[in-house]
Amino acid sequence: MARSLWSGTISFGLVSVPVRMVGATESKELRFHFLDKKDLQPIGYDKVRRDTGKHVDSDDIVRGFEVEKGRFVPLEDEDLDRLDVELTKTIDICDFVDLDEIDPIYFRKAYYLEPQDGAEKPYRLLVKALEQTGKVAIAKVVIRKKQHLAALRPYEGLLLLETMYFADEVRKPDSVETKGELRKAEVEMAKALVENLSDRFDPSKYDDTYRKDLLELLRAKAETGVIPERRDDGDEGQVVDLMQALRESVERTKTQRTAARRRKPAPKKKKTTKAA
């Protein structure tokens, strides 16, 4: 069983559902270490003053907040406890909305919520209500000294909580000016390419090829002492006509989809039984 990261209560109306939170995702990112060049022993992280560069012991370090440029206020643990808002142990549901109303840019990290002992029935009730209404709960929750906006939704029979950015945390993008008008033929060709590459979303189709290739190179260096030369595809940096590239891409993807359909096994016919 995954380790519980947080425990508290889902609260909506007069209903409370005690839950515990566990991680729903994990990063497979490769992590590199700083090593001593002489004997390849790991180098630890040292806390030093920014003004002098001198080492400071952990016992002499306190947390603080910069109230204005160069002016800090120190905070002890008891101060942080007083600063915690009342929702520390509560997932307080504010509204129920349609999932497609939420732009994916707002989502941060996913967690599973599991019922605490004795809370299985109200937990299942909330899952069922969300499933049958097609709604997502928008809530506020404090995790690790930070209040998050969050979306609470059913996922494979469980409740999934996804932390979200607040509106003022999402930066407004700069506008993009296009040089030259888009031709109708270009737009139609681009739409055809999108259609040819369209499919049902299946996350198992995609894997981290960069991480795999990087691991192979690192293992090769561990065995031989050198990293193999990288293969050059030879196509980088070539400037091609946009319409020509679109046309060739459409033809190529159309051929690939036709070949893929031919490779798929035909669905088995159901056996019919004659009535006696």
Side-chain angles (χ1 to χ4, degrees):
M1 181 182 293
R3 182 174 63 89
S4 175
L5 305 171
W6 181 96
S7 63
T9 303
I10 300 172
S11 175
F12 63 108
L14 299 177
V15 179
S16 295
V17 184
V19 293
R20 53 179 168 264
M21 179 186 295
V22 298
T25 59
E26 61 177 332
S27 173
K28 297 289 187 178
E29 181 182 355
L30 298 181
R31 299 184 182 275
F32 296 92
H33 302 270
F34 289 106
L35 308 174
D36 191 316
K37 190 175 181 179
K38 296 190 293 293
D39 54 7
L40 301 184
Q41 288 301 303
I43 300 297
Y45 173 72
D46 194 18
K47 295 180 172 65
V48 299
R49 289 177 58 106
R50 290 182 181 175
D51 56 350
T52 64
K54 292 183 178 179
H55 171 77
V56 181
D57 292 333
S58 296
D59 292 341
D60 294 326
I61 296 175
V62 297
R63 278 173 288 196
F65 180 77
E66 190 172 18
V67 291
E68 59 186 59
K69 188 67 175 178
R71 183 181 166 217
F72 297 87
V73 54
L75 294 169
E76 303 294 343
D77 288 341
E78 54 267 28
D79 295 323
L80 292 172
D81 290 337
R82 291 195 193 100
L83 288 172
D84 277 354
V85 294
E86 61 181 348
L87 304 178
T88 301
K89 289 295 180 182
T90 306
I91 299 171
D92 194 21
I93 294 177
C94 307
D95 300 292
F96 292 94
V97 304
D98 292 327
L99 180 59
D100 58 10
E101 293 178 358
I102 307 172
D103 192 291
I105 195 173
Y106 286 96
F107 292 123
R108 301 181 75 153
K109 185 173 175 58
Y111 300 90
Y112 291 127
L113 297 181
E114 300 174 342
Q116 295 195 43
D117 294 340
E120 291 82 6
K121 185 173 181 178
Y123 179 93
R124 290 296 308 149
L125 183 64
L126 180 54
V127 172
K128 187 65 68 177
L130 292 174
E131 286 176 342
Q132 294 191 1
T133 60
K135 295 292 184 179
V136 173
I138 300 300
K140 288 182 179 179
V141 59
V142 173
I143 308 171
R144 293 172 181 166
K145 308 296 182 183
K146 183 184 187 308
Q147 187 179 58
H148 297 269
L149 191 64
L152 190 65
R153 62 185 178 90
Y155 179 78
E156 296 190 357
L158 295 175
L159 287 176
L160 183 77
L161 182 139
E162 292 191 74
T163 55
M164 302 169 64
Y165 292 103
F166 286 99
D168 60 358
E169 293 181 301
V170 177
R171 295 174 179 169
K172 297 296 181 184
D174 295 329
S175 59
V176 177
E177 295 183 7
T178 305
K179 294 182 179 178
E181 293 294 324
L182 292 175
R183 292 181 289 170
K184 183 177 179 181
E186 291 173 337
V187 176
E188 293 301 320
M189 198 68 73
K191 286 165 60 178
L193 180 57
V194 170
E195 289 297 331
N196 286 351
L197 290 172
S198 295
D199 203 350
R200 291 181 62 85
F201 177 63
D202 178 7
S204 64
K205 285 170 53 179
Y206 317 103
D207 59 359
D208 189 347
T209 54
Y210 176 81
R211 179 169 60 91
K212 287 182 178 178
D213 292 343
L214 189 56
L215 269 174
E216 287 183 10
L217 292 175
L218 293 170
R219 286 172 180 145
K221 173 154 190 186
E223 292 179 5
T224 66
V226 294
I227 290 182
E229 288 290 330
R230 183 182 172 195
R231 294 188 300 273
D232 187 4
D233 294 335
D235 292 333
E236 295 183 6
Q238 294 185 8
V239 179
V240 295
D241 177 75
L242 177 59
M243 196 62 187
Q244 177 189 343
L246 284 169
R247 188 178 294 110
E248 291 179 1
S249 298
V250 169
E251 291 300 322
R252 185 180 301 177
T253 53
K254 188 187 298 182
T255 302
Q256 290 171 345
R257 289 185 70 85
T258 302
R261 279 196 292 267
R262 287 174 180 167
R263 287 195 297 268
K264 282 186 178 179
K268 294 181 180 179
K269 293 182 179 180
K270 293 182 179 179
K271 293 181 179 180
T272 56
T273 56
K274 293 183 180 180

